[in-house]
Amino acid sequence: MFINNDIYINYELLKKTIRDFYEIAKMQMGIWDSNGNVFFGYPESSDFCTKVNIELGDRKYCHRCDQIAAFKCNETLKPYSYICHAGAYELVVPLVFEGKCRIYVVFGQCVCLEMENLQRTTMLQYC
């Protein structure tokens, strides 16, 4: 399967690898195309995100955080970590080829020990 019309990815192997990663690390992981659109992610939504999004009624805040992260990665061509609107730590890693970001690997809904008190307060606010 092609992503961005120029990069071929074995979709079945990608799905298996990301699901296996989740079973080991219990960390959500996804692949975005160069426009920041989700190509594949597992699980689709974590338990925490599901609770937050039910409370918020939609995912507009999540998508906004994702867009900002993709923009930052495109700008710097370097990994970008941030705390989302609901207090979860996320990391976006651009895969760069020929000087352009072609794909993003995204790790999400983690707890950052250095920011744990702030995150807990923010999470409780949303949940």
Side-chain angles (χ1 to χ4, degrees):
M1 177 175 280
F2 282 91
I3 185 171
N4 299 332
N5 297 322
D6 60 349
I7 296 177
Y8 179 79
I9 292 180
N10 180 325
Y11 190 68
E12 292 305 315
L13 181 58
L14 175 72
K15 286 186 349 184
K16 181 183 180 333
T17 302
I18 290 176
R19 286 184 176 146
D20 288 349
F21 175 81
Y22 179 78
E23 290 304 316
I24 293 167
K26 298 298 182 206
M27 184 184 307
Q28 188 176 28
M29 181 180 178
I31 304 295
W32 298 348
D33 67 17
S34 61
N35 296 316
N37 301 309
V38 176
F39 181 71
F40 181 76
Y42 189 81
E44 281 188 40
S45 187
S46 67
D47 290 340
F48 169 75
C49 289
T50 300
K51 290 174 185 172
V52 169
N53 288 318
I54 289 171
E55 196 68 28
L56 294 174
D58 62 62
R59 301 189 96 158
K60 68 182 174 187
Y61 299 110
C62 296
H63 292 301
R64 183 69 184 135
C65 288
D66 294 346
Q67 289 172 340
I68 290 168
F71 177 77
K72 294 279 189 183
C73 283
N74 262 336
E75 193 175 72
T76 65
L77 299 179
K78 294 181 179 177
Y80 178 72
S81 62
Y82 63 100
I83 296 176
C84 77
H85 73 284
Y89 186 76
E90 304 201 343
L91 173 66
V92 180
V93 179
L95 299 182
V96 179
F97 181 71
E98 295 180 349
K100 291 183 179 178
C101 178
R102 303 296 180 150
I103 300 172
Y104 301 98
V105 179
V106 183
F107 302 92
Q109 295 77 48
C110 309
V111 174
C112 176
L113 296 177
E114 297 165 359
M115 302 287 291
E116 191 172 5
N117 288 336
L118 173 62
Q119 287 178 301
R120 183 172 288 126
T121 301
T122 306
M123 289 177 186
L124 288 172
Q125 175 186 355
Y126 282 99
C127 290

